[in-house]
Amino acid sequence: MMPAARESLLDAAYTALARRPWSAVRMVDVAAAAGVSRQTLYNEFGSKDGLARALVRREADGYLAGVERALAGPGEPQERLTAVVEWTSAAARENALIRAMLTGCWSERLPAPPLAAVPSASSVPAQRRADGPLPTPRDFVRIVRDRAVTVLTGPTAGLADTAELTRPCELVVRLALSCVAAPPAADGGMAEMVRAVVPRAV
């Protein structure tokens, strides 16, 4: 199956989830919405649980791609870390799956696949990856922190530079997760909080 067709099926599943609880989402409806047969859907994902894992994996990847874009933007490290916090807050506000992954709070409306790897008999590489471990909130803290440190210190950084940035970057990621749970009321509040955590010299 072409990757574009797989994306169409995942888009259809995401749209269906926006309209009804995951327990009420039917594979036949997802297949019809994507314009493929139900058998094609099963061939690609194996089961409804496989579809859930693939959907969660895709949303996790999309969130982390947004983190990369925020870190690659212009400005001082403070400004780029503020962009990470703002992206995290916005992504979680707009996407219930991202909010659940970042907080570990899965509502009854959502699929809640086990985060541990599951046995995979799939011949589809993307599905084998989805059947692997899914990120926990702790994993997201580590992944985003380490990526921020790598991008902000640059390729020529020494161990001392890396160590100096690791703690502020972790605090910023944890700050981002707190903004998901309890968004700041004031405009510009996130930037102020990042400035309190990350000195301008960093």
Side-chain angles (χ1 to χ4, degrees), residues 12-177:
Y14 185 86
T15 299
L17 178 60
R19 295 176 179 155
R20 61 186 74 95
W22 183 251
S23 60
V25 172
R26 301 189 313 155
M27 295 288 271
V28 64
D29 295 334
V30 172
V36 302
S37 70
R38 186 170 60 169
Q39 189 56 52
T40 298
L41 176 57
Y42 278 101
N43 289 345
E44 185 70 18
F45 299 101
S47 65
K48 188 176 178 184
D49 288 342
L51 176 60
R53 292 188 71 83
L55 186 57
V56 169
R57 178 78 260 175
R58 183 181 77 162
E59 300 311 305
D61 289 346
Y63 164 69
L64 292 172
V67 168
E68 293 278 356
R69 288 192 298 272
L71 288 170
E76 297 295 316
Q78 249 184 20
E79 294 161 313
R80 290 193 271 170
L81 289 170
T82 298
V84 170
V85 176
E86 290 170 344
W87 159 248
T88 298
S89 182
R93 187 170 54 250
E94 295 163 10
N95 188 317
L97 283 172
I98 291 176
R99 184 165 58 251
M101 283 186 280
L102 292 176
T103 62
C105 298
W106 296 81
S107 79
E108 292 179 4
R109 284 189 54 83
L110 299 176
L115 298 181
V118 297
S120 183
S122 179
S123 61
V124 179
Q127 190 57 38
R128 287 202 302 272
R129 180 167 179 263
D131 289 338
L134 297 171
T136 66
R138 181 178 295 173
D139 292 332
F140 279 113
V141 170
R142 175 183 51 77
I143 293 166
V144 177
R145 176 202 67 199
D146 292 352
R147 190 66 197 132
V149 170
T150 299
V151 170
L152 297 178
T153 54
T156 60
L159 285 176
D161 294 329
T162 301
E164 186 178 339
L165 252 187
T166 298
R167 182 67 175 158
C169 283
E170 176 158 341
L171 289 174
V172 166
V173 177
R174 293 186 180 280
L175 173 65
L177 297 189

